[in-house]
Amino acid sequence: MRDRLTDALYGLGWGAVRRLPEPAAAALGRTIADAAWKRRGKGVLRLESNLARVVPDAGPERLAELSKAGMRSYMRYWMESFRLPSWTHERAQHSFDPKGIHLLTEALAAGRGVVLALPHLANWDVAGIWVTRALGIPFTTVAERLKPESLYDRFVAYRESLGMEVLPHTGGSAFGTLARRLRDGGLVCLVADRDLSASGVEVSFFGETTRMPAGPALLAQQTGALLLPVTLWYDETPVMKGRIHEPVEVPESGTRAEKTSSMTQALADVFARGIAEHPEDWHMLQRLWLSDLEARKDHA
């Protein structure tokens, strides 16, 4: 019953929000965000705890301001995502203003595969639709299997309608498919600041240890693809901003594990700089650092 209710609510969101004028949808998102922030639920408290690592000198008042802005940014993500399938080609073309796009287009034009690795900043789906519609470049990504299954199917259908090839995170075949796409000179986009496998690479992130997925680094090593970190952020305009950073190169020496560790740490460092510049746009409402994950186990 709970799964059916969750799916029904998401379906209602996709249907109702899509029909709203954009200013009305944005206002609705802010209203919902503020109401959620005032309730001080687990997600808001976890967001504040995570932001305390990002902005260590922030006092309680500043953290509250950041978490309120963070919830508004998070709901902007959802309002935009619900409306994306109804965007015109022109709206999609003017939805995103990235710097460093030549790093992507020049590599693909030369026939080299590219891995774009992003943290949970702003709206990666907006960036994706811009790539498919403004640049005309298809890409492959991986999605976490959501419950209920019908909700996961809805997300997959939604992203595929935007021109993305979506592979399930579980099942074991995703890595091989991603590698084939890259060897064929294709584009792969991966959200890569939170490990979902419990077998990721340990990195230092804002002074504490967490794990991040090894996939981006391993794919670059095995296929020769270019690994490009990407950070995103919102400003006061409807146009999301972003930056494609300089490539993370494969080290010339070391074992595969050592190379993977070095490259994943380099990604983490770029992510940290982007998140520190725009902490309110980091949508991390889950436990991330190992100390928090271990504390949860201790209380289980």
Side-chain angles (χ1 to χ4, degrees), residues 17 20-32 72 75-76 79-80 83:
V17 174
L20 289 174
E22 194 157 343
L28 175 63
R30 289 192 295 271
T31 299
I32 295 172
R72 286 190 169 194
M75 286 311 303
R76 176 173 171 177
M79 293 297 113
E80 287 178 341
R83 293 175 54 79

Side-chain angles (χ1 to χ4, degrees), residues 12-84:
L12 178 64
W14 254 297
V17 174
R18 193 183 306 183
R19 291 191 292 269
L20 289 174
E22 194 157 343
L28 175 63
R30 289 192 295 271
T31 299
I32 295 172
D34 291 352
W37 179 78
K38 286 179 181 177
R39 283 200 299 270
R40 309 288 294 163
K42 288 183 179 180
V44 173
L45 296 177
R46 176 52 50 193
L47 177 62
E48 280 190 11
S49 176
N50 291 339
L51 289 171
R53 269 87 164 213
V54 176
V55 191
D57 57 346
E61 185 175 342
R62 173 61 176 151
L63 281 176
E65 291 174 354
L66 280 173
S67 67
K68 184 176 184 178
M71 291 304 294
R72 286 190 169 194
S73 176
Y74 184 51
M75 286 311 303
R76 176 173 171 177
Y77 163 82
W78 280 110
M79 293 297 113
E80 287 178 341
S81 294
F82 286 146
R83 293 175 54 79
L84 279 180

Side-chain angles (χ1 to χ4, degrees), residues 67 121 169:
S67 67
L121 274 170
H169 180 267

Side-chain angles (χ1 to χ4, degrees), residues 110-174:
R112 187 177 184 185
V114 175
V115 180
L116 296 181
L118 309 86
H120 285 82
L121 274 170
N123 195 329
W124 42 99
D125 283 321
V126 166
I129 194 175
W130 184 86
V131 167
T132 60
R133 296 192 178 175
L135 298 182
I137 299 172
F139 66 88
T140 304
T141 188
V142 174
E144 179 182 2
R145 276 202 177 276
L146 302 172
K147 291 184 178 181
E149 190 74 15
S150 56
L151 179 58
Y152 171 78
D153 292 340
R154 191 186 293 272
F155 266 96
V156 169
Y158 149 66
R159 289 192 167 107
E160 288 180 341
S161 76
L162 303 178
M164 311 174 192
E165 179 187 21
V166 182
L167 307 175
H169 180 267
T170 55
S173 62

Side-chain angles (χ1 to χ4, degrees), residues 50 56 85 88 90 102 105 123 140 188-189 239 246 262 277 300:
N50 291 339
T88 64
E90 183 180 10
H102 67 281
T105 55
N123 195 329
T140 304
V188 165
C189 300
V239 180
E246 291 296 318
S262 174
E277 290 173 0

